[in-house]
Amino acid sequence: MDSPARFIIFAVLTSLITVGVHIYLYRRLFADTSEDRSWRRVGMAVMTVLGALLVLSWSVTRFLPMDATFAVATAVWMWMGAATYLLFALWAIGGVRALSRRLTRARAATADGVSLATLGGAGAVAMTQASSVDLSTSPAGAASQVEVPEVDVARRRFLARATAGGALLASGSLTGYGTWSAFHPPVVNEVAVRLPGLPRELDGFTLVQLSDIHVGPVIQRKFMDELVARCNALRPDLVAITGDLVDGKVASLGPSVAALRELRSRHGTYFVTGNHEYYWDPGAWAGALEGMGVRVLRNRHVRIGDAGASFDLVGVDDWSAGLSGAKQGYDLKAAVAGREPERAAVLLAHQPSNWRVAAQAGMGLQLSGHTHGGQFFPFTLAVSAIWEHDAGHFEEGDKHLYVSRGTGFWGPPLRVGAPPEIVKVTLLAA
């Protein structure tokens, strides 16, 4: 299936889901909580606008200049995160209410059964006969037999308002925490890896990995300056940036990304493309980064160290680049061409795909990102189900993979259950 067809299917499905969710939210937050027509009209207008903007943020921004629309889209994606939590909160509270009703009815039925049993056989028969006579001979009894219980409208309205209020409080709290976590300084996770073939002289060599920063209209120079300062404080031997650095063009984001000039490490800073670079001209960004002192590894390797002790740092383009029609994509064979197989090697690859094949090709450690660890619940569960290696350190035999949760965020500025991270890797001689 070609790319336009995939996009059309994606756009239709997400639009239908979005419309359905906003209709549901309108009913629970507005229609169920009041009979006032003005209130309902306000709710209908609010949900229509928010739903339409969310649909447009996924479709129109694909064709319009992202520099002009991304800031608005980010605000709308914040609503997407809030709406997700609102939806789950309403379902959770509604589920508790439904379970409570079931338990109440079950207890009532049990109590009625016990009462009838205590009457005894004869008493129960007599009571049944008397009841039968009354119902068949009394007009009032006949009427009561078909009478429908009265609905307590006031109680139902109170419960609807309590449910809506509780859901708003819970979702607002989670959204607020998630926003704070997204903009909070990334945690530093340290991991030690025994790298096959690493010379003893390089035992203790440190790499700092940054991934999925997503510099854009929201993540700008202030964020980058603080990030650079935190990396420098770790005093790394080398800095590796494993893709999805930007969400925009060189002309608009260059000043923010230029903060990378201030990174300090013994062996420099290296970068490989992620899928988002392919949305914004990877060649242009590669040239811009080289001008900032960042070495770009596009399906090639370099030697790190000196003549006495060194290892190979291998970099590949993004795994899915070919799907976007790019002329250059992931090519591990080209990246390792001419490399001595027995030498220690670290692979920088944006996506954790193809790890086992890379390990068989002699890559002792692969550093990746892309998954964001799901970024925020409940997508953390979805990513964990989709990706075998979703986040953290994995090893098979003497081969290692570390998948970063990412240093920034994309879409909703939320981080719940998957805080942003800077990864410090210490290489140990095997």
Side-chain angles (χ1 to χ4, degrees):
M1 189 181 296
D2 59 6
S3 183
R6 281 199 303 269
F7 171 71
I8 290 171
I9 293 173
F10 171 79
V12 170
L13 288 177
T14 54
S15 297
L16 290 174
I17 292 171
T18 300
V19 169
V21 166
H22 283 75
I23 291 173
Y24 177 83
L25 291 178
Y26 162 75
R27 291 180 58 187
R28 292 293 173 265
L29 299 179
F30 296 94
D32 290 355
T33 58
S34 176
E35 293 182 354
D36 184 83
R37 289 185 177 181
S38 297
W39 173 251
R40 291 187 174 188
R41 284 172 185 159
V42 168
M44 191 174 295
V46 168
M47 288 299 150
T48 299
V49 170
L50 289 174
L53 287 174
L54 191 52
V55 169
L56 292 175
S57 74
W58 293 113
S59 53
V60 174
T61 52
R62 182 182 174 95
F63 305 104
L64 296 179
M66 189 66 83
D67 290 347
T69 60
F70 198 89
V72 175
T74 299
V76 176
W77 293 341
M78 168 68 91
W79 162 244
M80 184 187 80
T84 300
Y85 285 134
L86 191 53
L87 187 66
F88 277 88
L90 287 168
W91 284 348
I93 296 173
V96 170
R97 283 178 54 191
L99 179 61
S100 177
R101 286 196 299 269
R102 278 177 167 271
L103 292 175
T104 300
R105 289 171 183 169
R107 283 196 296 267
T110 302
D112 290 345
V114 171
S115 298
L116 286 172
T118 58
L119 291 174
V125 171
M127 192 173 200
T128 303
Q129 290 173 345
S131 177
S132 176
V133 170
D134 288 343
L135 287 173
S136 61
T137 59
S138 170
S144 65
Q145 189 176 19
V146 296
E147 187 178 345
V148 178
E150 223 175 277
V151 176
D152 190 340
V153 176
R155 182 174 182 276
R156 176 175 290 181
R157 194 73 67 198
F158 169 78
L159 290 174
R161 290 173 179 173
T163 298
L168 285 168
L169 180 62
S171 61
S173 299
L174 271 174
T175 302
Y177 167 76
T179 302
W180 172 85
S181 180
F183 288 103
H184 193 69
V187 298
V188 177
N189 284 328
E190 299 193 31
V191 59
V193 170
R194 292 202 174 275
L195 186 65
L198 184 71
R200 290 286 177 187
E201 295 85 348
L202 294 179
D203 186 84
F205 188 101
T206 59
L207 303 92
V208 162
Q209 180 198 10
L210 304 176
S211 192
D212 302 274
I213 302 173
H214 292 283
V215 178
V218 178
I219 294 179
Q220 297 185 336
R221 183 61 185 247
K222 183 179 179 181
F223 184 99
M224 292 299 291
D225 285 338
E226 185 171 352
L227 180 61
V228 167
R230 288 180 174 273
C231 289
N232 289 341
L234 297 174
R235 305 171 79 86
D237 291 312
L238 183 147
V239 177
I241 305 173
T242 51
D244 279 10
L245 171 63
V246 295
D247 270 309
K249 297 177 181 177
V250 173
S252 58
L253 300 184
S256 295
V257 176
L260 298 178
R261 294 181 187 272
E262 304 304 317
L263 282 171
R264 297 289 178 261
S265 63
R266 221 175 122 196
H267 295 276
T269 302
Y270 292 83
F271 169 82
V272 293
T273 60
N275 54 303
H276 280 244
E277 274 71 47
Y278 282 86
Y279 306 152
W280 305 107
D281 192 345
W285 272 112
L289 289 170
E290 288 281 357
M292 297 173 193
V294 177
R295 298 187 66 181
V296 181
L297 300 180
R298 303 198 67 185
N299 299 323
R300 67 189 184 94
H301 68 273
V302 294
R303 181 167 292 192
I304 303 297
D306 54 34
S310 63
F311 67 92
D312 291 334
L313 185 67
V314 184
V316 289
D317 279 332
D318 181 60
W319 175 257
S320 61
L323 298 178
S324 65
K327 294 180 180 178
Q328 181 174 327
Y330 184 103
D331 192 342
L332 180 63
K333 185 176 180 180
V336 300
R339 196 185 80 83
E340 299 172 17
E342 69 277 2
R343 287 174 52 78
V346 174
L347 173 66
L348 307 182
H350 177 61
Q351 299 191 36
S353 307
N354 212 45
W355 170 46
R356 291 189 177 92
V357 172
Q360 290 174 0
M363 303 298 102
L365 167 65
Q366 177 172 321
L367 297 178
S368 297
H370 183 66
T371 69
H372 292 216
Q375 191 166 310
F376 65 98
F377 179 87
F379 295 103
T380 50
L381 302 179
V383 166
S384 180
I386 294 170
W387 287 91
E388 179 183 1
H389 308 107
D390 57 330
H393 182 205
F394 304 89
E395 60 182 304
E396 291 183 5
D398 61 352
K399 308 299 184 183
H400 301 262
L401 166 69
Y402 194 95
V403 183
S404 169
R405 294 191 301 265
T407 312
F409 54 81
W410 181 79
L414 298 174
R415 282 280 189 176
V416 179
E421 67 176 338
I422 296 170
V423 183
K424 181 179 180 181
V425 182
T426 301
L427 301 182
L428 305 176

